[in-house]
Amino acid sequence: MRVLAGSLKGRRLETPRGSTTRPTADQVRIALMDTLTPRLPGARLLDLFAGAGGVGLEALSRGAAQATFVERDARAIGALRANVAALGVTVQARVERADVRAALERLAREDARFDLVFLDPPYEDDAVTSTLARLGALPLVESDGVVIAQHLTKRPPPAENGRLTAFRTRRFGETTLTFFRAGGYDSPSQTP
């Protein structure tokens, strides 16, 4: 796996061994980043179920100001920390080894706010729905923020999750990205 574009383009990313972590496919990362391009410069990104950090590191390469990575698997955290160090983005990256639910609660207590949130939980769990529900209830997403959930095409998340409302999908065979707007979002000029 490599960084696909931006200032770190072509740099190799370490991936954890085993089948616990499923990296986001290049085709999906390209489409995601191309969709978010107008929103990336200076953005604060929260990468949930981050694995080795492919999405968040791609966002940093393309101009995001800061990325917070949350992952609980030890091998994935090892690869993620190695990638952050090798790419020289330790100042822009915050890596947390934690369960996503606990991390969201802690970030809310810290009054953290994010412009973009990406989540790609294991497909066999129902973590997409529960994570979207927490994100829709907690004040973590800026009023004009966007949340993107990667999920099985056959298992779409609810269109309404607290203050999050689905407004777009991008399908890639068995994988779909569903985009959600935060409650205060009302400007069509900022639509990704």
Side-chain angles (χ1 to χ4, degrees):
M1 192 163 77
R2 295 184 183 279
V3 178
L4 302 170
S7 63
L8 303 170
K9 181 180 178 177
R11 300 282 299 274
R12 191 167 173 75
L13 297 175
E14 184 178 319
T15 56
R17 294 178 184 208
S19 61
T20 307
T21 304
R22 172 189 31 81
T24 299
D26 287 355
Q27 174 191 17
V28 177
R29 272 192 303 147
I30 289 168
L32 172 64
M33 292 301 149
D34 287 351
T35 302
L36 295 177
T37 291
R39 301 183 64 87
L40 285 173
R44 291 160 297 163
L45 172 84
L46 177 59
D47 188 350
L48 301 172
F49 308 93
V55 169
L57 294 169
E58 190 75 37
L60 288 174
S61 180
R62 294 180 187 223
Q66 190 266 337
T68 298
F69 300 89
V70 178
E71 174 58 57
R72 71 177 177 194
D73 181 76
R75 286 184 288 205
I77 280 289
L80 174 55
R81 288 187 173 136
N83 289 333
V84 165
L87 296 176
V89 293
T90 55
V91 172
Q92 300 99 321
R94 175 179 175 179
V95 177
E96 290 201 28
R97 181 176 182 198
D99 174 77
V100 164
R101 184 175 179 90
L104 291 176
E105 300 295 333
R106 183 173 49 258
L107 289 166
R109 284 191 305 274
E110 293 173 4
D111 203 27
R113 298 289 184 275
F114 300 94
D115 305 298
L116 301 168
V117 179
F118 178 74
L119 58 134
D120 179 15
Y123 285 167
E124 58 275 0
D125 292 348
D126 193 28
V128 169
T129 300
S130 61
T131 304
L132 286 170
R134 292 309 303 146
L135 287 167
L138 294 170
L140 290 168
V141 184
E142 290 288 0
S143 62
D144 63 345
V146 174
V147 175
I148 308 96
Q150 181 174 326
H151 57 87
L152 282 172
T153 300
K154 293 179 181 178
R155 293 179 64 194
E160 301 284 331
N161 295 279
R163 62 187 204 87
L164 301 177
T165 304
F167 71 97
R168 181 179 194 178
T169 59
R170 300 277 314 263
R171 183 178 173 180
F172 307 89
E174 293 182 6
T175 297
T176 295
L177 297 176
T178 298
F179 294 76
F180 294 84
R181 289 184 176 116
Y185 186 99
D186 63 359
S187 174
S189 64
Q190 294 182 358
T191 300

